């Protein structure tokens, strides 16, 4: 019976990992594309773009309400409305404020740089995540994960070889390099945020369920949105939205559609990120993001007619090689672990979406 439950937990864990990886893929590839579309066709409100990255947070109430009603049907009036305790709430609040700052840094970079250049942030943060994961959560590295980090870092470096020719027409060198440095700053900060989320999970001192992960997502995105709302108010973005919509290159209706999709892809990214950390690790999350970098490059070539250079092709091959290397090592480690551990000695994270056991 114990072995059956163990196998069921493993299957559920892999299913959740796959689901969140899909969310992360949609957000990591679609987010930069939609945001760049906004800036290319006349949008210029950086704080608004920052706000949209987390502004879709209320959508998380849909799965939370579903799980609540499932608990209530099973437990009756005694069912808890939420599980988050004060220490986790405080940690999620701090991470949310840092995320709001990171949103602004990233949006500023996307506003000034082509997708093929600004996407470097998604790969360069891998090295920062590895360092902070080692310092904060004592991340253990295998030869395969080290190989993956090396390959993906080289892939980002190869992409950097052609950035000097990517400066948009009509943009000054000062604006271009300011955007580049803001992008690097965003990479450093998000490389710190990912292991910080993982450390919050490890030090939660309460049953860690996927429902709790969704609650953390709501709190994080709420405070990130509050941070960006203050910036929007100071910058008078709310007053500028109607005028900007009328002047948008693709039409007023399309303007609002772009804003909505910007918010949805942002939520997909953040929900996928914390979900991958929950079922895997912050390092795995950073590796998936880095692998998606050349995919975003290809989308930029298709939709924005950016050049597909030899560097981008080499980067794609190196990224896929690194991704395969990491997962081969994980599968090999998981197989060795299952052969040496018994169900009684294995410590498993509660992956239920209802009541913590």
């Amino acid at each position: 019976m114990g072995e059956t439950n163990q196998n069921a937990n493993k299957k559920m864990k892999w299913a959740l990992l796959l689901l969140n990886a899909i969310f992360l893929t949609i957000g990591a590839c679609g987010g930069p594309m939609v945001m760049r579309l906004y800036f290319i066709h006349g949008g210029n409100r950086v704080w608004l773009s920052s706000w949209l990255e987390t502004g879709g947070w209320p959508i998380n109430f849909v799965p939370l309400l579903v799980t609540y009603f499932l608990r209530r049907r099973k437990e009756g009036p005694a069912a808890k409305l939420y599980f988050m305790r004060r220490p986790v709430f405080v940690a999620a609040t701090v991470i949310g404020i840092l995320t709001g700052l990171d949103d602004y840094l990233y949006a500023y970079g996307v506003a000034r740089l082509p997708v093929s250049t600004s996407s470097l942030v998604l790969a360069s943060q891998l090295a920062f995540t590895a360092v902070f994961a080692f310092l904060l959560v004592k991340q253990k590295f295998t030869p395969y994960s080290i190989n993956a980090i090396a390959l993906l870092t080289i892939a980002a470096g190869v992409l950097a070889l052609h950035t000097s020719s990517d400066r948009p027409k009509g943009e000054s060198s000062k604006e271009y390099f300011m955007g580049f440095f803001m992008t690097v700053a965003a990479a450093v900060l998000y490389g710190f945020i990912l292991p910080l989320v993982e450390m919050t999970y490890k030090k939660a001192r309460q049953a860690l369920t996927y429902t709790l992960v969704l609650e953390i997502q709501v709190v994080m995105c709420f405070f990130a949105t509050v941070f960006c709302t203050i910036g929007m108010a100071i910058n008078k973005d709310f007053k500028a939205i109607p005028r900007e919509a009328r002047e948008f290159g693709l039409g007023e209706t399309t303007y609002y559609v772009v804003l909505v999709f910007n918010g949805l892809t942002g939520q997909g990214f953040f929900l996928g990120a914390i979900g991958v950390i929950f079922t895997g690790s912050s390092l795995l999350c950073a590796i998936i993001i880095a692998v998606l970098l050349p995919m975003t490059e290809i989308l930029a070539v298709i939709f924005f007619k950016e050049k597909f250079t030899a560097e981008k092709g080499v980067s794609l091959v190196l990224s896929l090689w690194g991704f395969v290397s990491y997962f081969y090592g994980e599968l090999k480690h998981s197989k060795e672990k299952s052969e040496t551990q018994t169900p009684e000695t294995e410590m498993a994270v509660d992956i239920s979406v209802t009541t913590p056991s």
Side-chain angles (χ1 to χ4, degrees):
M1 185 69 179
E3 187 174 350
T4 302
N5 290 335
Q6 183 185 12
N7 291 332
N9 276 338
K10 283 185 177 180
K11 288 180 179 179
M12 177 65 78
K13 182 178 180 179
W14 279 104
L16 278 176
L17 177 59
L18 178 61
L19 177 63
N20 284 286
I22 292 172
F23 286 146
L24 185 58
T25 300
I26 293 171
C29 292
M33 298 294 294
V34 177
M35 188 181 294
R36 187 60 184 165
L37 181 69
Y38 164 79
F39 287 114
I40 285 177
H41 292 284
N44 58 10
R45 317 305 295 191
V46 175
W47 276 113
L48 171 60
S49 295
S50 308
W51 187 93
L52 289 170
E53 289 183 59
T54 53
W57 62 270
I59 199 172
N60 292 290
F61 283 120
V62 175
L64 283 173
L65 285 173
V66 171
T67 57
Y68 170 71
F69 285 121
L70 288 174
R71 290 196 304 274
R72 191 172 176 83
R73 179 184 296 179
K74 181 180 179 181
E75 303 172 18
K80 287 186 176 181
L81 182 61
Y82 61 89
F83 294 112
M84 185 181 294
R85 295 174 184 168
R86 183 178 297 177
V88 176
F89 176 82
V90 172
T93 299
V94 173
I95 295 172
I97 294 171
L98 291 175
T99 300
L101 174 59
D102 187 74
D103 289 344
Y104 176 77
L105 295 172
Y106 176 68
Y108 191 98
V110 174
R112 299 290 184 270
L113 306 176
V115 172
S116 57
T117 305
S118 63
S119 292
L120 281 169
V121 65
L122 300 178
S124 60
Q125 76 181 31
L126 174 61
F128 300 117
T129 301
V131 172
F132 287 122
F134 176 76
L135 295 175
L136 296 180
V137 295
K138 309 302 180 185
Q139 173 72 48
K140 294 181 179 179
F141 296 96
T142 66
Y144 297 100
S145 61
I146 293 173
N147 183 53
I149 292 170
L151 288 169
L152 290 164
T153 302
I154 293 172
V158 169
L159 280 177
L161 294 176
H162 78 287
T163 56
S164 60
S165 61
D166 268 358
R167 179 154 58 94
K169 294 180 180 179
E171 186 172 286
S172 68
S173 297
K174 181 180 179 181
E175 290 176 327
Y176 179 84
F177 285 111
M178 188 65 181
F180 190 87
F181 288 127
M182 293 286 262
T183 301
V184 172
V188 176
L189 183 55
Y190 203 65
F192 174 69
I193 288 173
L194 291 178
L196 195 59
V197 171
E198 185 175 358
M199 187 174 73
T200 299
Y201 291 166
K202 291 180 179 295
K203 296 184 178 295
R205 294 182 181 178
Q206 63 177 106
L208 186 61
T209 67
Y210 195 64
T211 301
L212 179 60
V213 169
L214 288 172
E215 291 176 4
I216 293 173
Q217 165 80 353
V218 168
V219 174
M220 282 173 49
C221 289
F222 171 76
F223 282 99
T225 304
V226 169
F227 179 90
C228 294
T229 300
I230 295 172
M232 284 185 67
I234 295 173
N235 201 44
K236 299 181 180 179
D237 281 8
F238 292 105
K239 294 180 180 179
I241 290 175
R243 174 181 53 79
E244 191 173 71
R246 290 191 298 270
E247 298 173 355
F248 193 62
L250 299 177
E252 187 172 354
T253 301
T254 305
Y255 175 85
Y256 290 108
V257 172
V258 169
L259 296 191
V260 169
F261 273 93
N262 205 335
L264 291 176
T265 54
Q267 257 335 274
F269 177 85
F270 286 108
L271 180 59
I274 67 168
V276 169
I277 294 172
F278 170 66
T279 52
S281 67
S282 56
L283 181 62
L284 173 59
C285 181
I287 284 176
I288 292 176
I289 292 172
V291 169
L292 294 173
L293 167 65
M295 309 300 178
T296 307
E297 295 269 350
I298 292 174
L299 290 174
V301 169
I302 295 172
F303 292 103
F304 296 147
K305 309 302 180 184
E306 296 184 7
K307 296 179 181 178
F308 188 82
T309 61
E311 292 93 343
K312 293 179 182 180
V314 172
S315 177
L316 176 61
V317 173
L318 289 174
S319 295
L320 293 176
W321 183 7
F323 187 68
V324 171
S325 173
Y326 179 84
F327 268 97
Y328 176 77
E330 285 298 299
L331 289 173
K332 186 176 180 180
H333 176 70
S334 179
K335 184 177 180 181
E336 292 174 352
K337 185 178 179 181
S338 63
E339 290 175 352
T340 57
Q341 279 190 318
T342 63
E344 288 77 14
T345 60
E346 182 174 9
M347 292 182 63
V349 176
D350 184 356
I351 57 174
S352 65
V353 294
T354 54
T355 307
S357 55

